[in-house]
Amino acid sequence: MKFIPGKYKIRDESMKPFIDSEEIWSYLKQEAPSRERVREVIARSLDKKRLSLEETAVLLNTSDPEMIEEIKAGAKALKEKVYGNRIVLFAPMYIGNHCSNNCRYCGFRASNREAIRKTLNREEIITNVEALEENGQKRLILVYGEHKNYSPEYIAETVKTVYEVKKGKGEIRRVNINAAPLDIEGYKTVKEAGIGTYQVFQETYHPKAYKWYHPSGKKADYDYRLVSLDRAMEAGIDDVGIGALFGLYDWRFEVMGLVRHTNHLEACYNVGPHTISFPRLQNASAYDIDPKYTVSDEEFIRLVAVLRLAVPYTGMILTAREPKHIREKVLEFGVSQIDAGTKIEIGAYSDKKPPNLQDLNREQFRINDERSLNDVIDELLEKNMLPSFCTACYRLGRTGEHFMEFSVPGFIKRYCTPNAILTLAEYLVDYAGEETARKGWQVIEQNKKQIEGFRNMDELDRRIERIKEGERDIYF
Ligand code: SAM
Ligand code: SF4
């Protein structure tokens, strides 16, 4: 396909669809780029520029092994230069799996008669949040099927319930949402409950493929979902998360779709997405998917590296859908948030009995990393990474924090690393075993060295002491 400059440009207008698959394919069908061009694009990204569609396609169109290695090295360098050592931790909590849609890949779909349906009641939400707090979690994402019972008012109520639960020294300080797209009024209602990020994944950006995977229910409307986060922005939620479910269609097309979505939000609202998610399709109950678009481990690592370079200022989320060895590998290329201690069976956090690992009918899909929060923290510390539960920016109204981390000189040194240290200190005092605590204090000392010159070092030390004496939730 020949690319005709100017031919495909859809003008970005708020609430108007913006994906032109012909345009995306015209970039992806260009000839393989020269090494010089690939290096030019990597250098632009290292200079902290968000890449255009054309530039992203350059990185996707090379199959030269040497260039692929340089792309990965570029993503690694960008991550080290911009984000440092911190990894933000959270846990997903499934509130209910009733669903009126029929997504072919999902165990919760309406036509799956095997699925065991459940919605947590208020008491169950409380006991589950208590169990999460007893483990040391501070940040949750609540997940819902798409169903008339899960109205904006209901979602807002569950969010408020979660914030109310305080067990021992524990509390949840940030509640994000992954739920069906809402209308503007609905988004306003959930915003008032004090949510963090609202995530909606487009699943596949390819309209035809989308149609096949979503044969019925409200989710069948591609355009309504595509501009759903425009409506969130119109409602005043400027903290939104986008994502694609990799394995439904050509992975390179989906990367282009995510970059195009980012451009659209920037063009219309002057702010890109807060986070990008790139879940890879996992086995699910009554799952019936053509393996044609399966994404191999090597392709997965590549796509994360390209995304990191293409959208250098956005937080990237990697979940326990991936096994430990892939999670560890991909962390090097710019992932900034991971879940830990994850259970996706509804109500499972407060279950005292051992998990029934075979019961796919209670889960949306199968997860592949079942390590506890403490084990994940322990292994991050082993690699001298700094686990963080920081929620300071959003609570102080410093929204768009990823953008600030990225673009405001010294922001990481002034805020992110000290706050990561303070939240880790809380965890070490309240929840960690002896060995994890020993490693943790060492990592804190090492990371203090890395922010040498930080004006408030004495204050940071005083705050650590205050935490040791029992004070909580102090931040810069
Ligand atoms: N029901 C809402 C929706 O579809 O937007 C919100 C939550 S849905 C439970 C969360 C996400 O899980 C979906 O957006 C989809 O990307 C992902 N998902 C569904 N089935 C999956 C599977 N088999 N493997 C991996 N991820 C899956
Ligand atoms: Fe329902 Fe979401 Fe699953 Fe689709 S992905 S069947 S909308 S829970």
Side-chain angles (χ1 to χ4, degrees), residues 129-148:
V129 174
E130 284 178 345
L132 285 157
E133 288 178 358
E134 278 175 339
N135 270 321
Q137 301 280 6
K138 296 282 185 282
R139 305 169 58 109
L140 300 185
I141 181 155
L142 305 188
V143 187
Y144 311 74
E146 179 158 4
H147 193 267
K148 62 177 180 0

Side-chain angles (χ1 to χ4, degrees), residues 66-125:
E66 209 173 300
M67 287 304 99
I68 292 174
E69 286 314 306
E70 287 192 24
I71 289 170
K72 288 196 227 163
K76 221 170 173 168
L78 187 74
K79 154 139 175 118
E80 279 161 18
K81 182 164 139 193
V82 176
Y83 294 94
N85 273 342
R86 283 167 313 120
I87 294 290
V88 172
L89 298 175
F90 69 95
M93 178 165 149
Y94 279 68
I95 300 288
N97 67 352
H98 287 270
C99 195
S100 47
N101 289 322
N102 260 311
C103 312
R104 290 187 194 265
Y105 44 80
C106 178
F108 292 168
R109 68 176 188 270
S111 63
N112 181 12
R113 303 261 169 258
E114 305 295 314
I116 299 163
R117 307 279 168 185
K118 176 150 183 67
T119 302
L120 297 181
N121 63 30
R122 188 179 150 83
E123 283 63 44
E124 288 165 329
I125 293 178

Side-chain angles (χ1 to χ4, degrees), residues 318 323-333 371 379 383:
L318 179 70
K324 176 174 179 269
H325 70 279
I326 296 288
R327 298 235 283 177
E328 287 178 348
K329 186 89 206 134
V330 172
L331 273 185
E332 297 170 20
F333 300 116
R371 284 176 295 165
E379 286 166 40
K383 297 188 174 63

Side-chain angles (χ1 to χ4, degrees), residues 19 22 38 119 165 190 244 288 290 339 345 348 357 371 433-434 451:
I19 292 285
E22 250 191 76
V38 176
T119 302
V165 179
V190 294
D288 173 26
D290 183 345
D339 56 342
E345 195 178 310
L357 296 180
R371 284 176 295 165
E434 215 175 292
I451 51 169

Side-chain angles (χ1 to χ4, degrees), residues 156-168:
E157 202 179 300
T158 54
V159 170
K160 287 183 197 153
T161 305
V162 170
Y163 281 132
E164 279 163 23
V165 179
K166 314 268 178 206
K167 178 80 179 176

Side-chain angles (χ1 to χ4, degrees), residues 94 99 101 103 105-108 143-146 178-181 199-201 203 219 225 244-245 279-284 287 321 364-365:
Y94 279 68
C99 195
N101 289 322
C103 312
Y105 44 80
C106 178
F108 292 168
V143 187
Y144 311 74
E146 179 158 4
N178 187 318
Q199 289 185 346
V200 175
F201 302 160
E203 319 298 9
K219 195 164 167 179
R225 194 167 177 95
L245 181 53
R280 196 160 49 149
L281 204 55
Q282 305 298 320
N283 191 15
Y287 169 94
R321 289 174 177 88
Q364 189 192 12
F365 49 80

